[in-house]
Amino acid sequence: MAKKNYYKILGVSRTASPEEISAAKNRLAKKYHPDANINNPNKAQAEEKFKEIQAAYQQIMKERTSGYGYG
C-alpha cells in the first residue's frame, strides 16, 4: 500500500513553514467540519475528509518534531 502524501492532502509543499501548514489545516478543517456540513447530502464524505485533514496535520507535525521527513 502506498504511503499517503500528507502535504498534498493539506495542499502545501514539503518546504512549507509550520505557519503555512497550520493555516492550510485550519482553512480545510473549517470547510469540512461536521458542524458546517449538517445539511450537506455528502455529510459522510465531508466528515471523512475532515478526519483525513486532521490526521495529515498530526503526521506532518510528528515527522517534523522528530526530525524525520522535513524538506
Side-chain angles (χ1 to χ4, degrees), residues 6-53:
Y6 299 113
Y7 292 91
K8 186 175 181 180
I9 292 169
L10 295 182
V12 297
S13 72
R14 288 191 153 291
T15 58
S17 70
E19 293 80 13
E20 291 170 316
I21 294 168
S22 182
K25 187 264 301 181
N26 291 339
R27 184 182 71 253
L28 291 169
K30 184 176 180 181
K31 178 178 179 179
Y32 292 103
H33 194 281
D35 289 347
N37 288 282
I38 291 174
N39 297 319
N40 184 342
N42 298 320
K43 180 181 176 182
Q45 289 88 348
E47 187 172 344
E48 284 303 311
K49 183 70 174 175
F50 178 77
K51 290 176 183 177
E52 183 179 45
I53 292 161

